Amino acid sequence: MGDGAGVGPEVIVGALLDEATTRRCRPVVIGDAARLRKAADVLDVHADVVAVDSVDDAVTAEGRINVIDLGLLPADLPWGTVSPVAGDAAYQYVRVASELATSGAAQAICTAPLNKEALHAAGHVFPGHTELLAHLTGTEEVSMMLAAPTMKVIHVTTHIGLVDAVAKIEPGLVERTVRRGDRTLRDSGVQSPRIGVCGINPHAGENGLFGHGEEDEKIVPALEVLRADGIDAQGPLPADTAFFLATRGEYDLIVAMYHDQGHGPVKVLGIETGVNITVGLPVIRTSVDHGTAFDIAGTGKASADSMVEALRQAAHLCG
């Protein structure tokens, strides 16, 4: 359910009352039943929020929302406020969901947004869901993929500063990231993925004019290995044109070197329909591509479109 003080409860209620969602999957919320009822009141919709003991107890019925209720939130939790109580609850929701997925009781995890400040205030020091799920599943390395209607982007580095990101990029990491992206696309039905790999510097260094040879040192060796293995990885490409070419259909996946290089173009295309997919976990995980939106939490203004799409992609990835 994410952070209960944010828009997570509202987008969950909106998405689970969408008939398209229940046609695709049998969703079970890990969260707080009372908070979901409050969210339904905020949205002025009728929702039959039913607490269940297990995934197997969930029943698909019009207007029904099944929830494994951990009961961790106080009734008077204010909307739009950083709370260590909500931060700890968000952690516990992910922990339980991870246990259900790794045991096979659930086939995928779909996350509503958490608040990093609240998570840290509760003593759980992780940059976000991606790193938390890697920790909970014992996964050494994962990648973040963002999916928009006309473009998919996978990131070599994510939640670290730009200077640290450039230092962290090396051929092995680039190669592993591209392989994870290629495998994910093939698993989703793309037979021969066309992958565009961004450079680090403007114009991908323009033959040494910009930067200090980072493309030749950190990216080109990886691409040579990948192409020798039959993976269609092109680059290093100037980032300012790579994303445009992807929206035109020339690439199935773009590899971004750092967080903002990949996130900016996807969010320009429409934050409401973007989806975050964690690649490399032993379980399927998708998420909305927006934050807790504390400024509008509890107002009923949040769109459920990204959650509907995240659930659709999770169901699709389940095969």
Side-chain angles (χ1 to χ4, degrees):
M1 195 181 77
D3 193 302
V7 296
E10 294 166 74
V11 300
I12 287 172
V13 169
L16 269 54
L17 293 182
D18 189 312
E19 292 181 3
T21 296
T22 51
R23 284 199 304 267
R24 298 175 180 129
C25 60
R26 182 161 55 109
V28 181
V29 183
I30 313 300
D32 187 282
R35 197 64 173 181
L36 292 171
R37 294 186 186 106
K38 283 192 173 184
D41 290 340
V42 165
L43 295 169
D44 195 24
V45 297
H46 172 72
D48 184 17
V49 179
V50 180
V52 296
D53 293 327
S54 69
V55 172
D56 290 339
D57 294 332
V59 175
T60 301
E62 184 178 355
R64 173 168 169 144
I65 296 176
N66 301 282
V67 54
I68 295 177
D69 185 7
L70 300 192
L72 299 174
L73 297 181
D76 60 350
L77 178 72
W79 296 102
T81 302
V82 173
S83 163
V85 174
D88 180 62
Y91 171 87
Q92 303 303 335
Y93 304 153
V94 178
R95 178 186 60 78
V96 173
S98 176
E99 291 170 357
L100 290 170
T102 53
S103 71
Q107 283 68 57
I109 300 171
C110 185
T111 57
L114 53 73
N115 181 277
K116 296 177 181 63
E117 185 180 351
L119 186 71
H120 292 184
H124 307 295
V125 185
F126 296 92
H129 271 120
T130 302
E131 296 82 4
L132 173 54
L133 280 162
H135 168 74
L136 290 170
T137 58
T139 307
E140 185 174 338
E141 188 175 275
V142 297
S143 298
M144 177 187 292
M145 180 184 288
L146 301 182
T150 58
M151 182 170 60
K152 289 183 174 64
V153 181
I154 193 169
H155 294 70
V156 175
T157 65
T158 51
H159 293 124
I160 56 177
L162 183 56
V163 172
D164 295 330
V166 174
K168 184 175 181 179
I169 297 167
E170 49 87 19
L173 179 58
V174 173
E175 179 188 342
R176 294 190 300 273
T177 302
V178 174
R179 289 188 187 278
R180 280 190 285 269
D182 180 75
R183 189 179 311 117
T184 299
L185 264 61
R186 291 179 188 272
D187 289 345
S188 67
V190 181
Q191 293 185 354
S192 301
R194 298 161 300 167
I195 302 173
V197 182
C198 291
I200 296 171
N201 295 296
H203 302 184
E206 199 161 305
N207 298 317
L209 183 62
F210 304 117
H212 302 279
E214 288 85 359
E215 281 75 17
D216 286 341
E217 174 190 347
K218 297 170 176 286
I219 301 174
V220 170
L223 298 182
E224 291 173 346
V225 172
L226 291 163
R227 287 196 286 263
D229 282 352
I231 294 176
D232 185 3
Q234 302 299 317
L237 303 173
D240 57 357
T241 56
F243 294 98
F244 166 72
L245 295 175
T247 61
R248 205 166 64 178
E250 295 190 23
Y251 295 107
D252 300 301
L253 177 67
I254 293 294
V255 180
M257 291 296 126
Y258 50 90
H259 183 281
D260 285 11
Q261 187 183 61
H263 276 62
V266 171
K267 294 192 175 182
V268 166
L269 290 173
I271 195 169
E272 297 86 359
T273 54
V275 174
N276 183 337
I277 304 169
T278 304
V279 179
L281 291 171
V283 299
I284 293 167
R285 180 261 173 163
T286 67
S287 178
V288 295
D289 187 28
H290 60 73
T292 47
F294 277 176
D295 57 325
I296 60 170
T299 67
K301 295 179 181 178
S303 169
D305 290 351
S306 184
M307 179 60 77
V308 171
E309 180 63 15
L311 286 162
R312 185 193 72 79
Q313 297 235 19
H316 174 70
L317 290 168
C318 288

